[in-house]
Amino acid sequence: MPDAAAVSIIPYRPDHAAAWRSLNEDWLVAGGYALEAKDQLVLSDPQGVILDRGGHIFIAERDGAPVGCCSLMAMADGGFEVGKMAVTEAARGLNLGWRLLEACEAAARATGAPRLYLETNAAQTHAIALYRRFGFVDLPAQPTPYARCNVWMEKPL
């Protein structure tokens, strides 16, 4: 079994761009989802769409190779949307989803954000279970640019 301690959660660097795109495209395609317009925008320009607008991206690296990722997109209410969480098949079971969420929460709290918010699909049962364990609660339907979204959640901070 791989060692979870050998994985580091680090801030995104420009040399992560290809891994950022492939990690996310892989889970979207594997889930049977289309790459939507907002996906294309976020995956093709993470610097401009996320980081330059006050957001964050975290990369899980094992032996220098990206094996997971997650982003925080700044929201108008001062909160952050958690998105684009992915972990490679080979790195599953190492608690990386939890560790990526911890990095997101710490970054959001450091800004005084009131909440974390996310959108997902009901078919993502493992992710939804993780989010609930992490303290996210269900919300009623919200406006979304994603056709695949049918679950909305938040975690007040």
Side-chain angles (χ1 to χ4, degrees):
M1 173 106 187
D3 181 8
V7 179
S8 301
I9 308 297
I10 63 171
Y12 175 90
R13 300 184 310 256
D15 64 306
H16 289 131
W20 164 252
R21 177 176 275 285
S22 66
L23 284 164
N24 282 291
E25 285 179 348
D26 289 352
W27 82 259
L28 287 164
V29 170
Y33 304 113
L35 249 63
E36 298 182 48
K38 186 170 181 190
D39 295 318
Q40 293 291 1
L41 188 65
V42 169
L43 296 180
S44 64
D45 186 13
Q47 184 69 46
V49 176
I50 299 172
L51 301 174
D52 291 349
R53 296 179 182 178
H56 304 270
I57 300 172
F58 297 99
I59 303 290
E61 278 190 348
R62 181 171 58 205
D63 299 324
V67 295
C69 61
C70 191
S71 68
L72 276 181
M73 295 183 72
M75 297 174 64
D77 69 358
F80 286 93
E81 179 179 351
V82 176
K84 300 294 182 258
M85 181 182 289
V87 175
T88 63
E89 189 77 36
R92 292 196 183 137
L94 298 179
N95 208 29
L96 297 186
W98 187 274
R99 290 177 60 195
L100 286 161
L101 286 173
E102 285 179 326
C104 288
E105 182 173 342
R109 284 186 183 279
T111 71
R115 70 181 182 140
L116 294 176
Y117 169 83
L118 63 83
E119 300 178 353
T120 190
N121 183 282
Q124 300 300 314
T125 55
H126 291 291
I128 291 169
L130 168 67
Y131 301 143
R132 287 192 175 126
R133 282 193 313 275
F134 199 76
F136 280 85
V137 295
D138 292 292
L139 291 172
Q142 308 286 307
T144 179
Y146 294 111
R148 67 178 170 264
C149 179
N150 61 8
V151 174
W152 296 263
M153 303 177 86
E154 76 173 356
K155 179 178 181 177
L157 298 179

